[in-house]
Amino acid sequence: MTAPDAPAPPAGGSHVLLRAFADELARCGVQHACTSPGSRSSPIVLALAREPGLTCWSHLDERVSGFFAVGLAKATGTPVAVACTSGTAAAELVPAVHEAAQGGVPLIVLTADRPPELRDVGAGQVIDQVKLYGTAAKLFVEAGADIATPAAVRWIRALACRAAWAAGTGRPGPVHVNVPLREPLLPPDGLPAPAPPGRPGGRPWVRRAGTPAAGPPAGLAERLAAAERPLVVAGTARGSDGADAAAFGAALGIPVLADPLSGARRGEAAIAHYDALLRHAPFAAAQRPDLVLRIGDLPTSKPLRRWLAGLDGEQVALGTAGRFPDPDGSLDQIAPAPAGPALSALAGTGRRAAAGWLDAWRDADARAGVALASALGLELSEPAVAAEAGASLPSGSTLWVASSMPVRDAETFFPLRDDGPRVLANRGANGIDGTVASALGAAASGAPVTVHLGDVAFAYDLTALISAARHALALTVLLVNNDGGGIFHFLPIAGATDAFEEHIATPPGLDFATLARGFGATHELIEDRVALAAALAAPPDGVRVLEVRTDRAENVEVHRRCWAAVAAALDA
Ligand SMILES: Cc1ncc(C[n+]2csc(CCOP(=O)(O)OP(=O)(O)O)c2C)c(N)n1
């Protein structure tokens, strides 16, 4: 630490060091950074904005910036840097950092701070930023950067590599580098010459050797071969794990209960409507597996989770790196190594499951699909919106689903489709905050994106649309407007009629057509399924709000009708 009356270090050292840091991030494969305005952070922002290897996305507010980075990191699978100024600005990143921690999303959070001598002494815009994100950060480093000696340049290059490797490897997650910066933030005589270059050939200062892909746990191939009724459950999966699970199930005749978030709802073995099927007690009792392989995070479906918790057969979780996905204490074995190679090795054993096991699931699933379609009819209900999104969104597009009814309706009503959209969501901490910002982050990766969300979630994050306009990003907002939180009507709290409407449902009562136009978006009220299908299939065109109006209480009835129709189809 430099005492206040010590001679000032040569001006501009922090710029030299931060330019080296940004250069090193790019060498480690970081492609994107998000910034928001401020004075103390300006040396960090300058370094990121001037780094040719990074695309920088500027945002007015840090909460939007953080969730945008989450969406971009999810869509690209690579770490995204997020820089902000000191004080409450750094605290605005808390929800995104927690989502990244819970959801396994690689972020490199760079917070500018006052130097130690200006902390807790009444200087402006200071909060305690040391370990601000607590256990959510995989790594915290206090990185004072102001004297650019050759040793300091080597240190900061190595630090950038450490931050990128820590964020992106094992179970990905957020890292926090807190950067105290002293005045003058901009040297009065202009910026000094850049740091000495890094390693030759554009390689990182510290390379990271890949971890060898491990195979399946010892003995699992034999247990799988002996199983009569093996089953795969695929939740939010990383990389190609979902596609590998679909291929594995098809190769061995093993049913794959596939959440749309897994990417496995395709192929010969995928089961789409497990949520509705497992609500039917006789079906759930008859279809008990003797071995369950779980891939990725657990799906959302409560009937599925309850059923898994009550099974006697062995349950093995593959690809869990850094996670213990066992809220019900039902796992027998946990295998951290990537799931894909383990599944490919298991598929190579070639022993197909007992004849009739997959057929029974597929037959029930097909019957459930027909029953759901006929229960829904042509009406534009909330489940119909989800079903239509699953059927009509073009291949190669991305659907971002909000953590209220949309993620559940996608799970229940999405059809099997080999060329369906990629489905993403903030299912780490399950917040409804940041839904629009994260969808925009996914759009910044270049894919056409539709975000399916309710009116409360949209109202919560409307200002993210400022970033859409500033960066000319296209986004289709599929807004289900039931004027409040429809999800709560499924819960006992709906019976507390004295407080429910005001304090739980919280109807926003907003005119979304006017709001959309205010943010430079177009607005269309969608009144039937044909119009919805056409609008969803249309090519991206700026920010479009497609509003579907529904009724919260009626929505509960539609869902009950659907579950009853599936039960009747199974009884028949
Ligand atoms: C940040 C945050 N605050 C509160 C909640 C609790 N919550 C879950 S769903 C929901 C209401 C969502 O309403 P809406 O977006 O209209 O969707 P719908 O329930 O109608 O599908 C709320 C407040 C949450 N998940 N995240």
Side-chain angles (χ1 to χ4, degrees):
M1 166 180 155
T2 309
D5 54 356
S14 53
H15 288 270
V16 174
L17 292 169
L18 290 166
R19 286 297 299 269
F21 186 89
D23 171 53
E24 207 58 50
L25 288 182
R27 287 162 179 258
C28 292
V30 178
Q31 298 158 15
H32 299 274
C34 292
T35 66
S36 33
S39 162
R40 188 64 51 167
S41 55
S42 53
I44 305 176
V45 169
L46 271 185
L48 295 171
R50 289 178 174 171
E51 169 49 50
L54 295 175
T55 303
C56 272
W57 302 90
S58 144
H59 306 280
L60 271 59
D61 91 69
E62 293 78 15
R63 197 173 62 84
V64 166
S65 183
F67 275 111
F68 186 99
V70 165
L72 189 45
K74 274 193 185 176
T76 58
T78 55
V80 173
V82 192
C84 73
T85 198
S86 64
T88 52
E92 298 293 341
L93 293 176
V94 166
V97 168
H98 279 276
E99 172 57 31
Q102 296 299 321
V105 184
L107 293 188
I108 300 166
V109 178
L110 306 170
T111 53
D113 200 352
R114 274 11 187 204
E117 66 273 15
L118 291 183
R119 296 181 190 170
D120 202 21
V121 289
Q125 213 172 315
V126 183
I127 64 167
D128 183 359
Q129 294 179 201
V130 173
K131 299 205 170 176
L132 177 63
Y133 308 114
T135 53
K138 284 181 81 178
L139 170 73
F140 170 79
V141 180
E142 171 82 353
D146 53 9
I147 309 177
T149 61
V153 172
R154 284 201 304 277
W155 158 77
I156 206 151
R157 285 194 179 276
L159 177 65
C161 296
R162 185 176 173 200
W165 301 148
T169 47
R171 182 173 172 88
V175 303
H176 178 198
V177 182
N178 192 47
V179 188
L181 290 160
R182 290 196 171 83
E183 309 258 7
L185 296 167
L186 266 186
D189 305 327
L191 293 183
R199 305 275 192 209
R203 64 183 162 89
W205 194 257
V206 184
R207 281 172 294 170
R208 190 180 187 284
T211 30
L220 184 58
E222 292 72 25
R223 286 169 357 246
L224 180 64
E228 296 282 315
R229 300 149 70 88
L231 187 79
V232 173
V233 174
T236 304
R238 256 152 266 295
S240 63
D241 284 359
D244 291 340
F248 166 80
L252 298 191
I254 298 178
V256 181
L257 310 196
D259 187 330
L261 293 165
S262 69
R265 196 172 278 195
R266 59 189 64 215
E268 294 303 306
I271 305 299
H273 304 301
Y274 56 83
D275 177 88
L277 293 172
L278 294 172
R279 286 173 192 271
H280 187 56
F283 178 86
Q287 294 302 112
R288 293 163 76 87
D290 54 4
L291 173 65
V292 177
L293 302 183
R294 294 201 211 159
I295 315 300
D297 298 337
L298 273 172
T300 302
S301 165
K302 271 212 177 117
L304 172 66
R305 287 178 175 224
R306 257 197 313 267
W307 184 68
L308 288 172
L311 295 177
D312 309 319
E314 178 182 355
Q315 299 193 40
V316 178
L318 298 174
T320 57
R323 185 96 162 154
F324 200 86
D326 196 21
D328 300 304
S330 47
L331 278 181
D332 288 80
Q333 191 170 30
I334 185 157
L343 291 171
S344 303
L346 289 170
T349 59
R351 161 104 160 47
R352 283 186 69 82
W357 171 238
L358 174 60
D359 293 346
W361 275 97
R362 293 279 286 186
D363 173 60
D365 198 35
R367 280 199 272 163
V370 171
L372 290 173
S374 89
L376 290 178
L378 295 175
E379 187 196 334
L380 190 53
S381 58
E382 293 192 24
V385 170
E388 207 57 73
S392 299
L393 280 171
S395 163
S397 67
T398 294
L399 177 68
W400 194 286
V401 285
S403 276
S404 50
M405 290 312 290
V407 70
R408 292 167 174 81
D409 284 344
E411 191 176 19
T412 304
F413 297 101
F414 249 51
L416 288 179
R417 192 176 149 197
D418 286 350
D419 65 347
R422 180 183 190 189
V423 186
L424 296 174
N426 281 338
R427 289 305 286 169
N430 300 352
I432 58 160
D433 46 348
T435 311
V436 180
S438 289
L440 283 169
S445 75
V449 178
T450 296
V451 57
H452 175 193
L453 82 182
D455 50 284
V456 177
F458 192 35
Y460 205 129
D461 204 25
L462 256 180
T463 54
L465 293 182
I466 300 169
S467 289
R470 292 183 72 230
H471 298 296
L473 288 168
L475 181 71
T476 299
V477 178
L478 178 52
L479 167 65
V480 175
N481 184 3
N482 53 24
D483 202 24
I487 192 169
F488 298 121
H489 283 259
F490 291 85
L491 304 177
I493 188 66
T497 46
D498 54 329
F500 179 76
E501 196 61 15
E502 182 180 354
H503 296 283
I504 307 293
T506 58
L510 293 172
D511 171 359
F512 286 102
T514 303
L515 284 167
R517 286 185 202 111
F519 284 101
T522 60
H523 174 274
E524 199 181 329
L525 188 63
I526 303 285
E527 294 182 295
D528 61 66
R529 281 185 76 154
V530 177
L532 178 61
L536 290 173
D541 181 16
V543 178
R544 302 185 298 157
V545 177
L546 310 176
E547 179 177 348
V548 176
R549 298 220 179 110
T550 60
D551 179 272
R552 286 183 259 129
E554 226 169 74
N555 183 42
V556 178
E557 292 315 311
V558 175
H559 281 81
R560 295 208 171 118
R561 205 167 69 215
C562 288
W563 298 326
V566 171
L570 292 175
D571 286 336

